[in-house]
Amino acid sequence: MSVWAVLAAAGRGERLGDDRPKAFARLGDLPLVAEPLRRLDDSEWIDGIVVAAPPGWEEPTIVLAEELAAGKVRSVVAGGETRAASVRVALEEIPDEAAVVLVHDAARPLVSDDVIGRVLAPLSEGYDGAVPVLPVADTLKRVRGDEVVETLDRGELVASQTPQAFLAEALRRAAAGEGSDCAALVEAQGGRIKAVPGDRRLLKVTSAEDLELVAAWL
Ligand code: CTP
Ligand code: MG
């Protein structure tokens, strides 16, 4: 079973507010994207990697992959306007023989082999995909403006992370859709998605504070 990874790194990082795209913000001594790239390349589960880079940053991404000796990087493409568009462009570079595609946010640098193993396992149990999830600690409310409309039943709610794993054909069928989460696209096509335990360290770097937190965990 051949497993390919898409590293979604093409976002602008507007909320981080750096003078460069989030993938190239400093994390320790290297650009942020170096950490997830090195970890995916080191993973025993992964055969090939396609990186969706910020448009105009393809060349620095290739140089970085060479510096890291990340030999599984087969292609670096310019990402699209949305995350879903970036994943679509990357998918085109994945060979037909790939049975499984793992999609990971570069903004979650601390991906581990443990969580990759957890999302891959359900694919041989009849699932079309799997996502790592965390319980939500806060009570969640639906609001309209500043007015509370509804309080949700937390028992059924989880926060979804990446890496997310899919049967390649299920993801290819769903990829035409839009949404911030690939699993949602596969769900919308009637795909079965398994929720597996996530990891707090897969925190998505959104703000400068998050970047400091992840740097402390390195
Ligand atoms: N992403 C992408 N292509 C896009 C938008 C996002 O590949 N057009 C990637 C980001 O690089 C990131 C992941 O999707 O690794 C999650 O997106 P997010 O955390 O929202 O990152 P940004 O869009 O870069 O940040 P912001 O929304 O603050 O601009
Ligand atoms: Mg974004």
Side-chain angles (χ1 to χ4, degrees):
M1 184 178 83
S2 149
V3 179
W4 279 59
V6 168
L7 186 59
R12 280 193 278 268
E14 270 162 16
R15 290 167 289 180
L16 189 60
D18 208 348
D19 59 355
R20 57 188 69 194
K22 183 155 70 184
F24 283 85
R26 289 275 133 182
L27 176 64
D29 296 329
L30 290 170
L32 175 142
V33 67
E35 189 67 26
L37 194 53
R38 186 180 60 72
R39 286 167 175 253
L40 292 176
D41 196 76
D42 283 348
S43 171
E44 53 173 310
W45 300 104
I46 291 173
D47 300 301
I49 302 169
V50 178
V51 184
W57 290 76
E58 300 94 307
E59 199 54 42
T61 305
I62 292 167
V63 170
L64 181 64
E66 281 167 1
E67 281 169 6
L68 296 169
K72 293 178 189 169
V73 175
R74 301 301 157 73
S75 183
V76 174
V77 296
E81 203 38 54
T82 61
R83 183 183 185 277
S86 296
V87 171
R88 264 195 301 277
V89 182
L91 269 179
E92 284 168 21
E93 301 297 316
I94 291 186
D96 290 340
E97 87 231 17
V100 170
V101 178
L102 189 89
V103 182
H104 184 59
D105 292 330
R108 304 180 192 269
L110 300 184
V111 59
S112 70
D113 249 2
D114 283 350
V115 73
I116 294 172
R118 289 203 290 278
V119 292
L120 290 178
L123 302 183
S124 42
E125 296 160 7
Y127 285 93
D128 300 297
V131 299
V133 302
L134 289 178
V136 283
D138 297 321
T139 300
L140 295 179
K141 294 182 188 291
R142 191 191 308 282
V143 294
R144 214 160 282 149
D146 54 8
E147 177 127 355
V148 174
V149 179
E150 187 190 0
T151 298
L152 301 166
D153 177 7
R154 195 177 58 195
E156 285 194 341
L157 297 171
V158 292
S160 137
Q161 302 181 312
T162 76
Q164 303 186 347
F166 305 95
L167 297 179
E169 55 186 57
L171 183 59
R172 285 188 202 277
R173 269 199 306 273
E178 276 300 323
S180 62
D181 176 270
C182 293
L185 305 181
V186 176
E187 288 157 35
Q189 295 285 310
R192 284 181 75 208
I193 305 288
K194 177 146 183 179
V196 305
D199 184 341
R200 298 256 167 232
R201 290 177 178 235
L202 283 169
L203 172 77
K204 186 166 78 166
V205 171
T206 304
S207 65
E209 256 179 358
D210 299 333
L211 195 56
E212 278 174 30
L213 199 53
V214 170
W217 288 340
L218 278 179

